[in-house]
Amino acid sequence: RCTTTVCDAGSSGATHFPGFRRFIIDACKTRVLAFLNISLIGAGRAPALADTGPSLGGDGRAEGGGLQSTAHISVDHCVDCIRQNSDVIVGIKIALSRSWASEFPGGPAAGEAAGYEAALEASARAGVPLMTHHTMSSVPLSECPGRLRAGDVYTHCLHGFESTLITPEGGIDPAALAARDRGVRFE
């Protein structure tokens, strides 16, 4: 009630965005904005928007996530989709977690690294912020939030009552402090 605008955080990628727009954004009385997932198939742990084949678990949730394959990553498709829907897409989203890239050739670290590079490039090319969900990841803090830019968003700062941004000594990691000073938003 009384909510004028909501923002989806990466449920849909470029492949499924036309359906997401038609059946969610355009059909909703509330204004819906979106961060487009760098993965063409969208968020891997959200309820599946479409059957992704053998990765679709019996509970209706995709297993392994959107960074399962190089075929799921396309900077060009992401940027084109953003340009075609610039009235509702406000940024790009990536979920960086070893488990969400578990089936990637070369292993989870390769999947996360490839996805992150693509997301950074697409964000720069489209001129929109990048939102990163960075938990239990093989991507080090020196890279994320270390390479995020002013206006980008680092989510899940506190995940499961733990923060990856806290050093063993109890301070805040220097990469996070530097990112904050550059204008990265921590949510």
Side-chain angles (χ1 to χ4, degrees), residues 34-124:
F35 278 79
L36 184 70
N37 201 301
I38 189 62
S39 168
L40 294 171
I41 63 171
R45 295 288 184 202
L49 295 173
D51 186 342
T52 57
S55 67
L56 190 63
D59 63 356
R61 297 169 67 84
E63 298 173 356
L67 299 178
Q68 296 168 320
S69 163
T70 55
H72 294 168
I73 302 169
S74 172
V75 172
D76 291 337
H77 285 95
C78 183
V79 171
D80 288 347
C81 186
I82 291 168
R83 289 181 178 152
Q84 292 168 13
N85 297 280
S86 62
D87 59 323
V88 293
I89 298 177
V90 297
I92 295 171
K93 171 74 181 292
I94 187 168
L96 295 172
S97 174
R98 288 182 303 272
S99 64
W100 294 339
S102 61
E103 298 174 25
F104 197 89
E112 287 185 280
Y116 187 49
E117 288 301 323
L120 287 166
E121 180 183 343
S123 171

Side-chain angles (χ1 to χ4, degrees), residues 134 139-147 154 164-166 173 175-176:
H134 183 239
V139 175
L141 293 174
S142 61
E143 292 289 312
C144 184
R147 292 177 57 201
Y154 185 98
T164 57
L165 302 177
I166 304 298
D173 189 277

Side-chain angles (χ1 to χ4, degrees), residues 4 22 26 32 80 113 123 141:
T4 61
R22 179 176 177 196
D26 293 344
V32 179
D80 288 347
S123 171
L141 293 174

